[in-house]
Amino acid sequence: EHAYPADELMPLTCRGRVRGQEPSRGDVDDALGKFSLTLIDTLDTLVVLNKTKEFEEAVKKVIKDVNLDNDIVVSVFETNIRVLGGLLGGHSVAIMLKEKGEHMQWYNGELLHMAKELGYKLLPAFNTTSGLPYPRVNLKFGVRHPEARTGTETDTCTACAGTLILEFAALSRFTGTSIFEEYARKALDFIWEKRQRSSNLVGVTINIHTGDWVRKDSGVGAGIDSYYEYLLKAYVLLGDDSFLERFNTHYDAIMRYISQPPLLLDVHIHKPMLNARTWMDSLLAFFPGLQVLKGDIRPAIETHEMLYQVIKKHNFLPEAFTTDFRVHWAQHPLRPEFAESTYFLYKATGDPYYLEVGKTLIENLNKYARVPCGFAAMKDVRTGSHEDRMDSFFLAEMFKYLYLLFADKEDMIFDIEDYIFTTEAHLLPLWLSTTNQTISKKNTTTEYTELDDSNFDWTCPNTQILFPNDPMFAQSIREPLKNVVDKSCPRGISRAEESLGSGPKPPLRARDFMASNPEHLEILKKMGVSLIHLKDGRVQLVQHAVQAASSLDAEDGLRFMQEMIELSSQQQKEQQLPPRAVQIVSHPFFGRVVLTAGPAQFGMDLSKHKSGTRGFVVTIKPYNGCSEITNPEAVKEKIALMQRGQCMFAEKARNIQKAGAIGGIVIDDNEGSSSDTAPLFQMAGDGKNTDDITIPMLFLFNKEGNIILDAIREYEAVEVLLSDKAKDRATIFKGKTIPNYIIDSNLEMENMDQKLSENDSHKQNSEEASSASQDVVAVSEEPEGESSDVTDPDSLSPAHADSDSVSISDQDSYTPGTDEASTPEPACMQGDNQPQEQKTETESNSKVNWDNKVQPMESILADWNEDIEAFEMMEKDEL
């Protein structure tokens, strides 16, 4: 109704997303190929939902209107699972309906012909010495052609190269053309040969020419996920024992190193006992479903229950969340992986609990995501803000799994057990295993390790044998985990505590430490702890046990470091507030630009003043706001802009309030600081009573603050709204006429200062962060009054920890930084049951939100739109 024949629906603006006509979203747009993506991806969903007439019409539309010969660069991975898989799934159910004799009697394999045409268009990507495909291909010109505009890439993700075998083998089996299955097998063989032999794990990204691992962290989430899925499902579909043996080898390594029930944490392939990060991404939610297919039910129930607790807390599963279940990345593009696992667990256990889980998912979708033209992705699960996005997988997978979860056998017009689901939930018939077998089943060149694991006897088990549909089986596993998110620590006692026991207390406690106290510095030196001032204003504490005065002093140093880490976690749980919003509402922005701001522990609480504070911004004199304001006539009834530094935040607030300001925005003085690379900053008081401060105060990092400053230079009069969360335009302009030229404001936007395009890309190298040295490190805010959460301006407040836990036995490094707000093994605080409102993780959310009708300069979009930078660490994967 709203989008045909576009690739995707934009549910907020009720129109189609056509690549090239909308602002670029970076790699996310590689799924779009001007081939009616959502229509093709949804074909077999229509049949599952018993919409056979609609399916017949949809197939005719695909045959008539879809062109696969476009001059456009697309993702090999996404095009394979969504378009090739969609065509093959559509063909599978079309021939099934035709055999039944009621529908599709006219069908003559047209979808299969299109699938074969697309298969040939993907083959040029495999023109590498390794057999691993290039990540992108031009549908018209291939890879190496001068007009292809691709073929220069060197890396691809493991899932990108290892998630081809089902579709390519099915295409070969359907058509009798073996080349497709051969290419997919060669890619899988290469990844298997390049696994890390001592751990049997694979990395996230690999060089397609040399086979070297580029990112050496390993998990079951983004970048690797469907590689494991396709090894097991290739065995199910094709009957090749080598795929099962490979899967079992990997699965043994996953359960040995990555699985830390109920968590699944990334590790290093060369040091599998060392965690690579302290957060998990939402794509790992598929893994419990794969474990059900494997037959390993208990860990599937445990991980699924943990994920469900996170969903109950936030309504949706955030794109990433920390080990203590706080938001790391707040987006949720309506991913179906959790629904998929819910379906498989219900099929395996028969436990009606999973029907209740499915009911919760449906209610949340209807309550929070449904909009007049469809279902909108969540921009931030904490604020409930929407994104003008509805990916094709929502209809292809989410609708399918939720319908199947509740469907009885009589609701289905065919037997779903005759098919296997691809990673995009497309249906491929199991009879393909005996059709057109042109490739030897057994890979005789590869040796497999003999694994001592009786669970391998239960691959694809009969659930009646495992547990005869006894719901109490699953309940007994879930029960200990029912409060894992809100009321108890997900992990046991920290390794450091376990090793240290309850020995003597160190001579200096972390909570008493002041960086300006020479006596404290001398004690640190004796314990082997040195203090380093970093360029970004933080202080780093590094402990070298060998530099301690004695072994006892070294132990004291370790205790001190552990206390500092735990103090950081405790302070953030107690003190941090939800993020706030600075929304530019004047011409030509009109509410489309929203900056996530840090709150203050004093002044007006914007969460209690829903209308917010609205006014024009003005730069104060002096700019630091640390003395009496010299331009009070300009500041009166305005929102004051000032620079961080040289005095306490509360002092700045009092000075601008005295000058008549109605609000204040403090801009970080750290050149280049950005929400991309730092956690949300919260402004502390000065240790005195701050009840006299009644105006709202917000904090912006340097990069975000420059957006407002550049807007002032360009347009002079800039009006902003300070609020607890972004308001929609109808609310902002209530009672006012919205000018018609809003629609054409892209012209003005294109003239914004080029400085806005400056971008320091944020890349995380978790391997370096975790194994750079054998030191114990803690990071704290600069002991300047305004950067500390404690009352003494000289005291040190630990900042956010982001790396691996302290291990006394091997003293692997611990490098708290600025990406996570807690330690990986948080100490349980008595009564630590945080209210749901206290969620402050905003690492990837203080981006600028552009309305899709605005066309700003490409560099700005590359910087902010769709939070692309936040996903660079998970490049070329399903995110």
Side-chain angles (χ1 to χ4, degrees):
E1 183 179 344
H2 300 291
Y4 190 78
D7 283 317
E8 288 179 351
L9 167 69
M10 297 170 67
L12 298 182
T13 49
C14 299
R15 56 198 171 97
R17 183 182 296 280
V18 179
R19 196 165 170 188
Q21 295 181 17
E22 301 296 331
S24 170
R25 301 177 300 171
D27 289 351
V28 177
D29 282 341
D30 286 345
L32 311 180
K34 297 183 179 177
F35 36 35
S36 297
L37 172 64
T38 301
L39 179 66
I40 292 176
D41 213 3
T42 315
L43 287 176
D44 50 8
T45 299
L46 290 169
V47 178
V48 170
L49 272 56
N50 202 3
K51 302 284 187 182
T52 49
K53 290 181 180 177
E54 290 87 342
F55 170 72
E56 200 154 348
E57 290 303 312
V59 172
K60 289 177 180 177
K61 278 190 172 71
V62 170
I63 296 169
K64 175 176 174 287
D65 296 339
V66 171
N67 176 26
L68 298 172
D69 195 40
N70 300 313
D71 178 12
I72 193 166
V73 176
V74 296
S75 161
V76 172
F77 168 75
E78 297 289 358
T79 305
N80 171 65
I81 65 170
R82 300 202 207 188
V83 186
L84 183 59
L87 292 170
L88 292 171
H91 173 70
S92 299
V93 293
I95 58 177
M96 176 271 297
L97 290 173
K98 185 176 182 179
E99 286 176 8
K100 289 181 177 291
E102 188 177 345
H103 300 281
M104 303 298 291
Q105 296 305 301
W106 54 270
Y107 182 71
N108 195 29
E110 289 86 352
L111 294 179
L112 182 59
H113 298 315
M114 294 180 69
K116 189 173 182 180
E117 177 191 352
L118 181 59
Y120 278 120
K121 288 184 175 297
L122 296 178
L123 285 185
F126 292 83
N127 188 19
T128 61
T129 54
S130 65
L132 299 177
Y134 282 96
R136 298 175 186 83
V137 67
N138 187 301
L139 290 176
K140 191 177 186 72
F141 297 111
V143 172
R144 296 292 182 86
H145 192 280
E147 297 180 61
R149 305 187 305 283
T150 188
T152 58
E153 303 95 339
T154 58
D155 308 334
T156 193
C157 72
T158 301
C160 301
T163 311
L164 300 159
I165 187 65
L166 290 190
E167 291 84 1
F168 272 49
L171 182 57
S172 287
R173 303 294 175 98
F174 272 131
T175 63
T177 306
S178 63
I179 187 171
F180 304 109
E181 185 173 345
E182 291 169 3
Y183 273 73
R185 281 178 178 264
K186 184 180 178 184
L188 270 183
D189 291 345
F190 190 83
I191 295 174
W192 169 252
E193 292 299 329
K194 290 296 178 179
R195 74 193 185 283
Q196 212 292 319
R197 297 302 176 102
S198 61
S199 66
N200 281 321
L201 294 172
V202 293
V204 175
T205 54
I206 188 171
N207 187 295
I208 59 177
H209 303 297
T210 65
D212 295 332
W213 291 110
V214 179
R215 273 189 49 196
K216 302 180 179 69
D217 45 318
S218 184
V220 296
I224 303 179
D225 49 3
S226 48
Y227 162 69
Y228 295 134
E229 177 186 3
Y230 269 37
L231 284 177
L232 181 56
K233 289 184 175 180
Y235 164 68
V236 175
L237 180 65
L238 307 176
D240 188 333
D241 290 344
S242 66
F243 292 129
L244 176 60
E245 289 165 337
R246 294 181 193 183
F247 174 80
N248 284 342
T249 303
H250 285 314
Y251 188 77
D252 176 70
I254 291 168
M255 300 310 290
R256 191 184 304 270
Y257 303 121
I258 295 170
S259 176
Q260 301 176 38
L263 310 181
L264 291 162
L265 294 176
D266 286 17
V267 299
H268 296 276
I269 58 176
H270 295 99
K271 291 183 178 180
M273 300 303 292
L274 186 65
N275 289 341
R277 59 171 68 145
T278 58
W279 50 270
M280 296 165 279
D281 67 76
S282 63
L283 286 169
L284 61 75
F286 92 101
F287 197 67
L290 188 64
Q291 288 180 305
V292 170
L293 192 61
K294 163 87 178 79
D296 200 1
I297 305 293
R298 177 178 290 273
I301 294 172
E302 291 174 337
T303 299
H304 180 275
E305 180 62 20
M306 176 269 292
L307 294 170
Y308 185 44
Q309 298 297 327
V310 176
I311 288 174
K312 286 200 290 187
K313 185 175 182 178
H314 300 295
N315 299 320
F316 298 98
L317 195 60
E319 279 291 69
F321 54 93
T322 62
T323 52
D324 57 348
F325 309 110
R326 288 175 299 105
V327 174
H328 184 67
W329 294 337
Q331 307 91 329
H332 174 73
L334 308 182
R335 294 201 183 279
E337 285 77 15
F338 181 78
E340 173 185 359
S341 290
T342 304
Y343 164 68
F344 277 112
L345 273 168
Y346 179 65
K347 294 287 285 186
T349 65
D351 188 342
Y353 175 83
Y354 295 109
L355 296 179
E356 291 297 326
V357 173
K359 181 184 177 185
T360 300
L361 296 182
I362 291 172
E363 288 175 345
N364 287 349
L365 284 170
N366 281 324
K367 185 174 181 180
Y368 301 110
R370 190 159 194 163
V371 293
C373 295
F375 291 81
M378 307 306 296
K379 183 74 175 173
D380 191 316
V381 297
R382 297 161 302 186
T383 62
S385 56
H386 286 130
E387 194 172 348
D388 202 3
R389 170 182 181 183
M390 191 180 89
D391 290 86
S392 67
F393 54 67
F394 179 67
L395 296 180
E397 299 184 69
M398 183 73 89
F399 271 31
K400 196 175 292 172
Y401 285 124
L402 289 177
Y403 183 85
L404 288 171
L405 174 63
F406 292 98
D408 295 320
K409 214 161 192 177
E410 54 268 25
D411 297 321
M412 302 292 296
I413 59 173
F414 65 99
D415 189 352
I416 197 72
E417 304 296 342
D418 291 338
Y419 297 82
I420 191 166
F421 293 108
T422 69
T423 194
E424 191 76 5
H426 293 306
L427 301 173
L428 298 177
L430 292 175
W431 53 257
L432 287 174
S433 60
T434 58
T435 304
N436 291 324
Q437 295 182 34
T438 57
I439 296 175
S440 169
K441 275 190 177 182
K442 185 68 178 174
N443 183 348
T444 56
T445 62
T446 306
E447 293 183 3
Y448 295 91
T449 307
E450 191 66 35
L451 298 169
D452 181 22
D453 188 346
S454 59
N455 190 47
F456 293 150
D457 299 336
W458 295 104
T459 297
C460 308
N462 183 324
T463 56
Q464 292 293 332
I465 298 175
L466 269 182
F467 39 90
N469 282 346
D470 176 15
M472 294 305 294
F473 175 86
Q475 184 179 334
S476 65
I477 298 173
R478 289 193 305 268
E479 189 65 26
L481 300 169
K482 66 180 181 179
N483 295 320
V484 69
V485 171
D486 285 326
K487 293 183 181 176
S488 63
C489 282
R491 306 284 297 282
I493 190 167
S494 72
R495 292 175 190 151
E497 284 182 11
E498 197 171 36
S499 301
L500 293 168
S502 55
K505 300 298 180 186
L508 177 63
R509 303 302 301 269
R511 64 172 176 262
D512 302 325
F513 173 67
M514 288 189 292
S516 60
N517 187 323
E519 185 181 340
H520 288 183
L521 296 178
E522 192 60 36
I523 295 173
L524 287 190
K525 185 177 179 182
K526 186 180 178 184
M527 295 189 297
V529 178
S530 55
L531 184 143
I532 303 169
H533 291 270
L534 303 177
K535 290 181 180 179
D536 60 6
R538 293 175 301 137
V539 171
Q540 188 176 50
L541 297 174
V542 183
Q543 206 241 4
H544 303 266
V546 294
Q547 295 180 8
S550 68
S551 59
L552 288 176
D553 289 319
E555 285 188 21
D556 287 342
L558 280 173
R559 289 193 190 97
F560 174 81
M561 300 295 281
Q562 183 64 18
E563 278 191 5
M564 188 64 79
I565 292 161
E566 290 171 2
L567 183 61
S568 167
S569 175
Q570 178 183 345
Q571 285 183 341
Q572 281 153 17
K573 285 178 180 177
E574 291 174 351
Q575 296 177 353
Q576 285 192 334
L577 300 171
R580 306 296 186 218
V582 176
Q583 194 167 5
I584 307 180
V585 298
S586 54
H587 171 78
F589 305 93
F590 298 108
R592 293 190 177 96
V593 177
V594 182
L595 306 170
T596 299
Q601 295 177 0
F602 52 84
M604 179 191 292
D605 185 353
L606 290 170
S607 66
K608 296 177 182 176
H609 295 76
K610 295 301 180 183
S611 59
T613 297
R614 178 171 175 166
F616 288 91
V617 291
V618 62
T619 304
I620 62 171
K621 297 177 183 177
Y623 189 31
N624 60 28
C626 292
S627 58
E628 186 174 348
I629 307 304
T630 59
N631 59 337
E633 63 287 338
V635 174
K636 191 173 183 181
E637 298 301 318
K638 303 285 199 314
I639 293 174
L641 293 178
M642 69 211 79
Q643 188 177 47
R644 174 188 180 186
Q646 300 182 32
C647 65
M648 308 292 278
F649 289 122
E651 185 179 343
K652 298 174 190 284
R654 290 187 178 101
N655 287 334
I656 63 168
Q657 182 173 286
K658 183 179 178 183
I662 59 173
I665 299 174
V666 179
I667 299 175
D668 194 9
D669 59 344
N670 248 341
E671 192 65 37
S673 70
S674 165
S675 58
D676 296 344
T677 54
L680 184 68
F681 190 89
Q682 175 183 299
M683 297 185 288
D686 56 2
K688 305 170 187 174
N689 189 319
T690 55
D691 291 345
D692 59 313
I693 302 174
T694 58
I695 60 173
M697 293 289 289
L698 297 181
F699 178 87
L700 290 178
F701 282 107
N702 184 267
K703 184 171 151 187
E704 284 76 21
N706 279 335
I707 294 167
I708 294 182
L709 295 175
D710 288 338
I712 292 175
R713 282 191 283 271
E714 183 75 19
Y715 303 105
E716 295 184 3
V718 175
E719 189 179 15
V720 302
L721 173 67
L722 311 183
S723 60
D724 61 330
K725 56 185 176 183
K727 310 296 185 204
D728 58 40
R729 284 193 294 152
T731 303
I732 294 172
F733 295 102
K734 189 174 183 181
K736 299 182 181 181
T737 302
I738 301 178
N740 292 328
Y741 55 78
I742 288 180
I743 299 170
D744 301 319
S745 61
N746 58 325
L747 299 175
E748 290 88 340
M749 294 297 294
E750 289 174 348
N751 295 325
M752 285 187 70
D753 195 294
Q754 286 292 332
K755 289 182 181 178
L756 293 179
S757 65
E758 292 176 5
N759 170 29
D760 296 324
S761 82
H762 169 45
K763 288 185 179 283
Q764 303 178 4
N765 188 326
S766 48
E767 186 198 13
E768 290 180 8
S770 302
S771 58
S773 66
Q774 294 216 338
D775 303 330
V776 182
V777 184
V779 177
S780 299
E781 287 286 359
E782 179 71 39
E784 167 186 334
E786 64 181 73
S787 64
S788 175
D789 280 347
V790 289
T791 56
D792 191 321
D794 292 325
S795 66
L796 186 77
S797 173
H800 310 322
D802 80 339
S803 190
D804 307 289
S805 54
V806 178
S807 172
I808 300 219
S809 57
D810 59 15
Q811 292 193 26
D812 279 319
S813 66
Y814 188 106
T815 314
T818 57
D819 290 338
E820 273 79 55
S822 72
T823 58
E825 295 182 296
C828 276
M829 304 304 297
Q830 188 173 11
D832 178 26
N833 187 7
Q834 289 178 273
Q836 186 166 337
E837 296 84 279
Q838 288 198 328
K839 306 180 214 99
T840 63
E841 307 72 32
T842 59
E843 285 86 334
S844 57
N845 290 299
S846 44
K847 305 287 184 290
V848 180
N849 303 312
W850 298 99
D851 185 282
N852 286 283
K853 290 183 181 177
V854 178
Q855 177 75 43
M857 62 182 80
E858 289 184 6
S859 54
I860 296 175
L861 287 166
D863 196 4
W864 300 310
N865 197 37
E866 300 298 335
D867 296 307
I868 293 300
E869 284 187 350
F871 297 109
E872 277 192 330
M873 184 179 175
M874 309 169 97
E875 57 199 347
K876 305 181 188 76
D877 58 22
E878 291 184 43
L879 288 176

